[in-house]
Amino acid sequence: MYKTLHTDLTDNILTVTINRPDKLNALNKDVISELGEVVEEIYTNKDIKSAILTGAGPKAFVAGADISEFQGLSKEAGQKISAKGSDIFFRIASSPKPIAAAVNGFALGGGCELAMACHFRLCAPTAKFGQPEVNLGLIPGYGGTQRLTKLIGRGRAIEIMLTGRMVEATEAHTMGLVNYIVTEPDELLSETRKLLAIINAKAPLAIARIIECVNIAADDGPFGGFEREQEAFGECFGTEDMKEGTTAFLEKRKPRFRGA
Ligand code: COA
């Protein structure tokens, strides 16, 4: 039983719903650690052939890491948070069983990164994507600098991460950030299940090898840029700008950055 996740196993598809709708499903420590547990369940439970990650409520898939947990943390603690979340996201990305993101609303920061760690993405027309960490004096810390760049290309990724702007579903689709927009929001989960049902009828050992080889092609693994991202995320925790950015968010005001 999970505290922050709701799970449902039907027709060999495990639907995992992140369930903190009052906080727009922000990834606090409990959600991160339960995501780690549920991924292991996906790996080991023979009744599960594939999985869906989605968010509870009409507004958000996941609105990012829980900013309230970042207050007063050291550089080292920041790096540890990034390393822990990144490890779990690597387990998602390298799962031998397909994991799809059904993006039902905001997919921001860690939410966009979680969706990108999945093997593919479907979204509602109301979905909004983005890496707004720069607004907090931070950078993406769960693989976003790497996976967004690989999915949509360097120029678009840099612009999105430097402006922190939100990307609507249609633009996300044009960029290749999502595979499909499901026009009827109520049908997002059923359409995702239909796609996974097609895959579930294929040969599991071949599926696992396709995922493995594609990840090699995409350099999706705990090295290089991913490692530097975790270190750089930690470095931001040592800055006044990050303290100002996160405090301003929690106080619901605009931040005043000084470059220190
Ligand atoms: N961490 C912690 N709490 C968050 C959160 C996050 N990433 N995102 C939203 N929340 C909380 C809000 O603080 C608010 O809590 P409250 O009701 O106790 O005040 C609640 O969720 C609802 O969010 P709110 O901001 O009131 O909704 P909105 O519709 O006005 O705005 C967003 C929606 C997504 C634009 C806005 O919540 C936002 O910018 N969130 C942060 C996104 C972000 O920077 N993510 C990266 C984090 S590293």
Side-chain angles (χ1 to χ4, degrees), residues 16-21 24-25 52-62 102-106 188-189:
V16 178
T17 308
I18 299 169
N19 194 17
R20 292 186 79 210
L24 306 188
N25 305 318
I52 301 173
L53 297 189
T54 192
K59 240 179 125 172
F61 173 69
V62 167
V103 180
N104 53 308
F106 292 115
L188 177 62
L189 282 181

Side-chain angles (χ1 to χ4, degrees), residues 22-24 26 59 63-68 70 106 108-109 132-133 136 166 249 252:
D22 53 324
K23 294 290 178 190
L24 306 188
K59 240 179 125 172
D66 192 316
I67 298 164
S68 67
F70 287 172
F106 292 115
L108 302 175
E133 290 87 349
L136 303 165
M166 288 192 213
F249 175 79
K252 300 188 187 290

Side-chain angles (χ1 to χ4, degrees), residues 4 41 48 63 69 83 90 108 115 130 134 137 148 174 195-196 206 211 215 227 248 250 256:
T4 61
E41 188 184 339
I48 300 173
E69 290 184 345
F90 282 127
L108 302 175
V134 71
L148 188 63
T174 308
L195 193 57
L196 288 174
I211 293 173
N215 283 345
E227 269 183 357
L250 296 170
R256 290 177 293 269

Side-chain angles (χ1 to χ4, degrees), residues 178-213:
V178 291
N179 299 62
Y180 299 101
I181 301 174
V182 177
T183 348
E184 289 301 322
D186 288 352
E187 291 171 10
L188 177 62
L189 282 181
S190 57
E191 288 301 315
T192 311
R193 284 198 190 98
K194 273 188 207 163
L195 193 57
L196 288 174
I198 294 171
I199 298 169
N200 285 353
K202 316 284 182 202
L205 299 179
I207 284 173
R209 282 164 178 76
I210 290 170
I211 293 173
E212 184 190 348
C213 294

